[in-house]
Amino acid sequence: MHDSKDLKNAGLKATLPRLKILELFERSEQRHLSAEDIYKVMIGNGEDVGLATVYRVLTQFEQAGLLVRHHFESGKAVFELNEGSHHDHIVCIKCGRVEEFYDDEIEKRQKNAAEKYGFTMQDHSLTIYGVCKDQPCNE
């Protein structure tokens, strides 16, 4: 669990909006949240916060390494807690559902491909796009 100590360690004061947004990521069943998702939940909970504040806090959290930003095909940025472990994503192009996965064989093949072309892999991102098998797909 992340808390005010994590904010202080990241060089950020533990303001109420920061604590509320961090708590929202901790408690959300959905791991990938957009600024708009967070804003709607906070307004729905009666929080007095502006969308610009949400964007600012998310950017600060990303810069501090607390969150990771992704740009999936929807073009809308989504964020997830940075838990330090690598994983890849599968995204439904109809409903936007995101699943995470880790495959050791894929990881090895990517490293081998980089080496084959004279690169030392530092980082990578793999996103697979498809249509989920939920029938009908939740659009």
Side-chain angles (χ1 to χ4, degrees), residues 3-12 14 18-19 22 61 66:
D3 57 19
S4 61
K5 192 173 105 184
D6 291 316
L7 292 177
K8 289 175 185 159
N9 289 343
L12 298 169
R18 288 178 182 150
L19 288 169
L22 197 55
F61 283 3
L66 296 173

Side-chain angles (χ1 to χ4, degrees), residues 71-126:
H71 294 279
F72 296 133
E73 188 152 294
S74 68
K76 175 173 69 171
V78 294
F79 298 82
E80 69 176 311
L81 285 173
N82 182 358
E83 296 173 332
S85 60
H86 173 77
H87 58 266
D88 294 308
H89 299 93
I90 302 174
V91 180
C92 179
I93 59 174
K94 285 193 174 183
C95 69
R97 189 178 109 211
V98 179
E99 293 294 332
E100 299 174 350
F101 72 97
Y102 178 85
D103 184 295
D104 196 47
E105 190 61 34
I106 289 174
E107 297 302 313
K108 288 177 191 170
R109 293 187 65 129
Q110 290 176 116
K111 184 175 183 243
N112 290 343
E115 289 173 359
K116 176 181 175 183
Y117 292 99
F119 289 82
T120 302
M121 187 167 66
Q122 301 297 309
D123 193 14
H124 78 279
S125 173
L126 173 66

Side-chain angles (χ1 to χ4, degrees), residues 2-3 6-8 10-25 38 53-69 79-82:
H2 293 281
D3 57 19
D6 291 316
L7 292 177
K8 289 175 185 159
L12 298 169
K13 285 174 59 177
T15 64
L16 196 57
R18 288 178 182 150
L19 288 169
K20 293 283 185 183
I21 290 172
L22 197 55
E23 180 183 340
L24 206 150
F25 273 98
I38 293 161
T53 299
V54 172
Y55 275 109
R56 188 170 45 256
V57 169
L58 292 175
T59 299
Q60 291 166 345
F61 283 3
E62 179 190 15
Q63 290 170 345
L66 296 173
L67 295 179
V68 177
R69 179 190 307 244
F79 298 82
E80 69 176 311
L81 285 173
N82 182 358

